[in-house]
Amino acid sequence: DNAAAAAAEVVPSSSSSSSSCSSSSSSSTSTTTATAITLVYANMLGSATAGIIARICTHPLDTAKARVQANSNSHSVAGISSTVAKKKNAMIYRGPLDVLLKTARTEGLSGLYRGFGAVVVGGTPGTVLYLTSYDWAKQQLAQITSASSTTTTTMQSSKAQDFAIHFSAGMFAEAVACVIYVPVDVVKERLQVQHHQRVSITTATTGQQSTATPPTTTPQYYKSSWHAVQSMWRTEGLASLYKGYGATLLSFGTYSGLFFVLYEQLVEQLQHYHHLSTRDEVPFAGTLFCSCTAGAAASWITSPLDMAKLRLQIQRQRQQSTTTTTQQPHNTKVLYQTVWDCLVHAYRHEGGVKGLFRGAWARVLHFAPATTVTITSYEMCRSWFAKALLPAAAAGGDG
């Protein structure tokens, strides 16, 4: 934006002729427009790069989170009771570290990166849409509130406005990005938990642990992300790809709103503390601290919603798995109809508040570094792309 302002100042002060003024004005407008478009491209490239970097670094932690949250004491594996599962030595995880160790030992590196293809192919444009939508919504809301505010606005009301702007912008960004995020999330999570379900079901029903690939007649076991999409479309319809859309929006939307409120406030405090004029001057370590702290806090608070969302998204697969493997129709009952059903079930049958926060540490362990890498990479990458592209844009505008 400083480059845009600098470009606008190129207009000569001389007014010797009307044609000269017209030419200068046209050149300035062209340069400013080119700069604005270039900054949009820089933001898009920066968010895409940040999303890929974050996923490469933290996807195994996401797999651990999914498998921990998929467990429950009363209905731990595809309709098989936990008592039976424990007697038969089914795959039950004690925490995120246990998931990482067991998965690495039994499935190798590929097991830790199950669903990664869906995340990179689908999640990258989702990240672009998410971060650019947030920036756009924040700017629009700031303009609206500044136009309607008066000179008598108190500090308290100003903070309330900031909270409303950042929270609303975060919710809006998530609502837009969920059009892409939800199908990606459903495919990713089913791939992440399917090996755990296969081992658990086989063990609990036969007493023999086996990781052999099931027959091709069991479409719920997916060979790849694309195979998962095809199978779900064919057997469950398009709606299956958007399973838990409302739950995802409630979970991730609340998370995004809280994250950006905390992040923006922390960055603002750092600016005041170091007497910095703009947020671009905040050092890398400061951005790292703000994003990590905000990500950890927001992910912990919204963990029950995320657990409910995941169980809603994978329970259809569990129903199919139980029917195919055990041939016992009475085990195919769908436990959850809504997010509230998931939360009530977890509270009543899984240890109260402890059940609601099952996998909370795994979620923090994933989201804190994932958000940190995403935001810091985004801030750095979009700045780098802007510096690389702006000279070309200025040259094009001058031409």
Side-chain angles (χ1 to χ4, degrees):
D1 304 47
N2 291 333
E9 292 173 0
V10 174
V11 184
S13 58
S14 173
S15 57
S16 57
S17 65
S18 60
S19 60
S20 176
C21 291
S22 176
S23 176
S24 299
S25 177
S26 175
S27 176
S28 175
T29 302
S30 176
T31 302
T32 304
T33 303
T35 300
I37 294 174
T38 301
L39 290 175
V40 172
Y41 285 144
N43 287 347
M44 293 176 65
L45 289 171
S47 56
T49 305
I52 294 173
I53 293 173
R55 283 299 178 179
I56 291 174
C57 296
T58 63
H59 192 79
L61 298 174
D62 188 30
T63 299
K65 175 191 75 72
R67 294 191 177 188
V68 170
Q69 288 183 329
N71 279 333
S72 79
N73 289 338
S74 63
H75 199 272
S76 59
V77 280
I80 308 296
S81 70
S82 61
T83 303
V84 175
K86 289 178 181 178
K87 287 182 179 179
K88 300 300 183 178
N89 299 318
M91 188 74 77
I92 296 178
Y93 303 112
R94 294 187 295 272
L97 180 59
D98 190 40
V99 176
L100 295 175
L101 293 175
K102 286 182 178 177
T103 302
R105 184 171 61 250
T106 59
E107 303 172 56
L109 185 63
S110 62
L112 294 172
Y113 278 89
R114 287 189 184 277
F116 184 74
V119 169
V120 172
V121 175
T124 300
T127 303
V128 173
L129 201 58
Y130 174 68
L131 292 174
T132 53
S133 295
Y134 172 76
D135 282 338
W136 179 85
K138 184 175 69 171
Q139 291 174 5
Q140 296 300 312
L141 290 171
Q143 291 177 2
I144 293 172
T145 54
S146 63
S148 60
S149 62
T150 63
T151 55
T152 59
T153 301
T154 64
M155 180 178 295
Q156 185 175 2
S157 62
S158 177
K159 288 185 177 296
Q161 282 186 354
D162 289 342
F163 177 91
I165 289 173
H166 299 145
F167 190 86
S168 300
M171 288 289 290
F172 173 80
E174 197 63 54
V176 173
C178 270
V179 175
I180 297 177
Y181 273 155
V182 172
V184 170
D185 211 37
V186 172
V187 171
K188 170 183 69 70
E189 287 175 345
R190 290 195 179 190
L191 284 166
Q192 286 174 324
V193 303
Q194 71 174 357
H195 178 84
H196 155 63
Q197 289 177 341
R198 176 168 71 247
V199 172
S200 300
I201 296 166
T202 304
T203 303
T205 54
T206 69
Q208 298 176 356
Q209 184 166 333
S210 172
T211 58
T213 303
T216 55
T217 55
T218 51
Q220 71 275 10
Y221 295 113
Y222 310 118
K223 301 174 184 177
S224 64
S225 298
W226 178 239
H227 180 236
V229 172
Q230 290 178 310
S231 298
M232 291 168 64
W233 186 292
R234 183 176 62 254
T235 61
E236 302 175 48
L238 177 62
S240 66
L241 292 171
Y242 282 91
K243 187 77 172 178
Y245 184 93
T248 302
L249 186 57
L250 180 62
S251 171
F252 284 169
T254 306
Y255 167 83
S256 295
L258 290 175
F259 169 78
F260 281 115
V261 166
L262 294 171
Y263 177 73
E264 298 283 359
Q265 287 297 317
L266 288 171
V267 171
E268 183 180 341
Q269 293 301 317
L270 272 181
Q271 281 184 244
H272 290 317
Y273 181 79
H274 291 287
H275 306 289
L276 304 175
S277 57
T278 65
R279 64 182 298 157
D280 291 334
E281 298 177 14
V282 174
F284 173 79
T287 303
L288 201 69
F289 169 78
C290 293
S291 55
C292 185
T293 303
S299 60
W300 173 265
I301 293 170
T302 59
S303 182
L305 297 175
D306 186 63
M307 178 269 294
K309 181 266 302 179
L310 181 139
R311 293 187 182 182
L312 279 172
Q313 289 178 329
I314 67 172
Q315 69 176 353
R316 174 63 178 176
Q317 185 189 23
R318 286 183 167 191
Q319 177 183 346
Q320 291 181 343
S321 300
T322 307
T323 304
T324 303
T325 310
T326 66
Q327 300 299 322
Q328 295 177 358
H330 64 276
N331 280 334
T332 64
K333 179 183 178 181
V334 177
L335 279 177
Y336 316 117
Q337 297 295 331
T338 63
V339 172
W340 182 249
D341 286 343
C342 294
L343 297 176
V344 170
H345 183 276
Y347 184 81
R348 289 179 177 175
H349 303 288
E350 300 176 37
V353 175
K354 181 180 178 181
L356 292 176
F357 282 87
R358 179 178 297 277
W361 282 116
R363 177 171 164 82
V364 172
L365 188 63
H366 165 243
F367 268 89
T371 305
T372 300
V373 174
T374 300
I375 296 300
T376 52
S377 298
Y378 175 57
E379 297 284 6
M380 293 179 65
C381 289
R382 71 171 177 176
S383 176
W384 186 87
F385 281 117
K387 291 177 181 178
L389 296 175
L390 278 176
D398 291 339

